[in-house]
Amino acid sequence: MTPHPQPPQPLALYGPDFAADPHGHYRRLREHGPLAPVRIAPGVEAMLVTDYQAAVDLLRDTHTFSKDPRAWQETVPADSPVLPVLGHRPTALFSDGAEHARYRDAINDTLALIEPHLLRAEVARVAQQLIGAFAGSGSGDLIAQYARRLPLHVFVTWFGVDPADAERIVDGIGGMMNSAQGAAAAYADLVDVVTRLVADRRARPRRDLTSYFLAHPANLDNDETVRQITLLMSAGHDPTTNLIGNATLHMLTDERYAGSLHGGAMTAHEAVNEVLWQDPPIANLAAHYPRHDTEFHGVRLRAGQLVLVSFGAANTQSGQPTSDTGVRSGGSAHLAWSAGPHRCPAKQPALLIAMTAIEQLTSQLCDAELAVPVSELLWRPGPFHRALVHLPVRFTPLDTTTSVDPEREPEGQPAVPIGP
């Protein structure tokens, strides 16, 4: 097989140009074959998989590829802003074989304790209260005032985080995902919050996910517990925020939704599904490293070389029907949740949170519409995510005289929406 020609230099996947037009970048990369070189930060290069079948093959090939980044990490500046996302830690994301299975079992078993009907009720309750906080004004930012705060409340509740540390959780996750100056400090602050939480629960267990992690038969030590929790928080909060924001924008701008959150022929479920195909909240990630020099889909790869999967590019290249019918069919499925042994373990809770959040918007802010032209919306820079900075809307003001503080738990309701 003749290797595809490579571009003269790696294409940058950070900065405002990429954030404004990621699909234009993906089209340029596809001209050079199923994999193409990219730059994800100053001085940090990778091969990006943009082909659907190549992505599936990579995600499932544990014989050729490893998830352990330590050999690659030695070639990257210690202060690189991508290391808070890609640098090695003792978690399921950066391990293979038996070690991966041990961490993954702890994650799967702990997440399995979440009762879906209680989670849905909790999300709906907090959603109503968050909407009530700005609905009387007739305008709001659905990112800052809603999409970012709703998953935050759920994570604080699940893991038993002190509400006073909630904003540090959000700032830590957002800062590390932006992969810009200050990313390392943001991640370090997130770790500090969770380290103190784990130490407290080791001494005084409670009915929360942190305590369940510590009690799991995998016998995680404190640092391993901290790292699994920070992994779940970073892989759960920001992507769920982005999914809510991206799907809501889709409903506000696609003509099939009648330009508002209520009144079109499409549902929140369909909006979420289309966004997972077209603009997945995690656009480029799934870092893999060849165990030895190899040729993959006609491209030579070096041992230890960073290879990333572009979920955004692979999905839109997969040959599936697009917005003509709103229905996907055929043998392929979108890769927004990844695939293979490292596929997302929290797919169902994340979908439930996003669907419920959007359904609450459609039921309460029926005539909401964008308050600015779509061309004026800003997207957060960074190689890994597809994330709006803001989503300003206007709507008919609602009577909010009976709204409740979202931080206050109503009497008689369980503090944590998980099973015994």
Side-chain angles (χ1 to χ4, degrees):
M1 181 183 296
T2 301
H4 292 272
Q6 300 295 340
Q9 62 180 16
L11 190 62
L13 296 191
Y14 58 95
D17 290 344
F18 173 69
D21 183 26
H23 290 287
H25 284 65
Y26 299 150
R27 285 192 294 271
R28 291 171 59 189
L29 290 168
R30 284 199 202 97
E31 294 174 359
H32 304 282
L35 291 81
V38 295
R39 185 177 299 108
I40 59 174
V44 182
E45 297 181 2
M47 295 298 291
L48 186 71
V49 179
T50 60
D51 176 81
Y52 181 91
Q53 188 57 55
V56 172
D57 292 344
L58 174 71
L59 294 167
R60 293 176 176 172
D61 187 352
T62 59
H63 176 74
T64 306
F65 295 94
S66 170
K67 293 288 290 180
D68 189 332
R70 281 175 285 192
W72 165 81
Q73 195 170 332
E74 292 177 358
T75 70
V76 178
D79 60 351
S80 173
V82 299
L83 286 181
V85 173
L86 299 179
H88 178 266
R89 294 179 286 279
T91 73
L93 186 61
F94 302 105
S95 56
D96 304 305
E99 183 182 28
H100 171 256
R102 173 172 170 260
Y103 292 142
R104 183 71 179 229
D105 285 348
I107 290 172
N108 288 345
D109 293 346
T110 303
L111 291 180
L113 296 168
I114 299 168
E115 294 285 356
H117 70 285
L118 292 178
L119 175 59
R120 181 184 293 276
E122 173 76 358
V123 172
R125 182 184 68 81
V126 176
Q128 292 166 12
Q129 294 167 350
L130 290 173
I131 292 170
F134 63 84
S137 67
S139 65
D141 180 351
L142 296 185
I143 300 298
Q145 294 174 279
Y146 188 70
R148 287 179 67 80
R149 295 190 61 79
L150 182 52
L152 167 64
H153 181 90
V154 172
F155 273 86
V156 166
T157 303
W158 281 0
F159 288 100
V161 177
D162 186 333
D165 289 330
E167 293 302 324
R168 291 177 66 190
I169 295 287
V170 172
D171 291 344
I173 295 168
M176 65 181 280
M177 291 300 294
N178 286 343
S179 298
Q181 187 176 6
Y187 176 68
D189 198 46
L190 172 64
V191 169
D192 179 66
V193 172
V194 179
T195 297
R196 290 187 292 105
L197 171 66
V198 167
D200 179 78
R201 292 302 188 271
R202 180 73 77 179
R204 292 174 291 277
R206 298 185 189 177
R207 191 170 175 266
D208 54 37
L209 292 186
T210 302
S211 299
Y212 283 120
F213 263 116
L214 289 166
H216 191 271
N219 293 319
L220 304 181
D221 63 27
N222 278 17
D223 185 60
E224 289 176 319
T225 304
V226 168
R227 302 302 176 167
Q228 308 321 306
I229 292 174
T230 55
L231 170 63
L232 282 175
M233 287 183 172
S234 57
H237 181 275
D238 225 44
T240 304
T241 294
N242 301 343
L243 181 55
I244 295 169
N246 295 357
T248 303
L249 174 63
H250 191 49
M251 296 182 74
L252 290 169
T253 55
D254 191 300
E255 62 183 13
R256 291 167 299 152
Y257 299 89
S260 70
L261 294 180
H262 190 71
M266 305 291 282
T267 66
H269 181 276
E270 290 164 317
V272 167
N273 189 53
E274 290 194 351
V275 161
L276 289 171
W277 275 98
Q278 299 169 12
D279 267 320
I282 293 297
N284 307 293
L285 202 53
H288 285 73
Y289 309 86
R291 297 179 187 273
H292 47 76
D293 292 351
T294 188
E295 183 174 300
F296 181 74
H297 282 255
V299 178
R300 296 296 303 175
L301 299 175
R302 303 184 310 276
Q305 183 176 9
L306 173 60
V307 183
L308 299 173
V309 173
S310 178
F311 303 119
N315 281 351
T316 54
Q317 183 270 341
S318 68
Q320 294 297 294
T322 52
S323 59
D324 292 341
T325 64
V327 177
R328 301 280 174 170
S329 61
S332 62
H334 70 68
L335 299 176
W337 307 106
S338 192
H342 288 270
R343 63 191 178 279
C344 177
K347 172 183 174 181
Q348 295 307 322
L351 277 174
L352 190 152
I353 294 170
M355 299 281 197
T356 305
I358 297 169
E359 288 166 357
Q360 288 297 317
L361 286 175
T362 63
S363 66
Q364 297 192 54
L365 305 181
C366 302
D367 62 347
E369 60 182 14
L370 277 179
V372 299
V374 67
S375 60
E376 294 183 11
L377 295 176
L378 299 177
W379 296 86
R380 286 167 52 197
F384 305 121
H385 55 210
R386 181 64 171 158
L388 284 162
V389 174
H390 59 113
L391 186 56
V393 295
R394 53 176 175 256
F395 47 84
T396 302
L398 302 182
D399 179 5
T400 59
T401 56
T402 59
S403 63
V404 182
D405 182 354
E407 301 300 327
R408 180 180 178 272
E409 294 289 343
E411 294 182 5
Q413 177 160 338
V416 180
I418 57 180

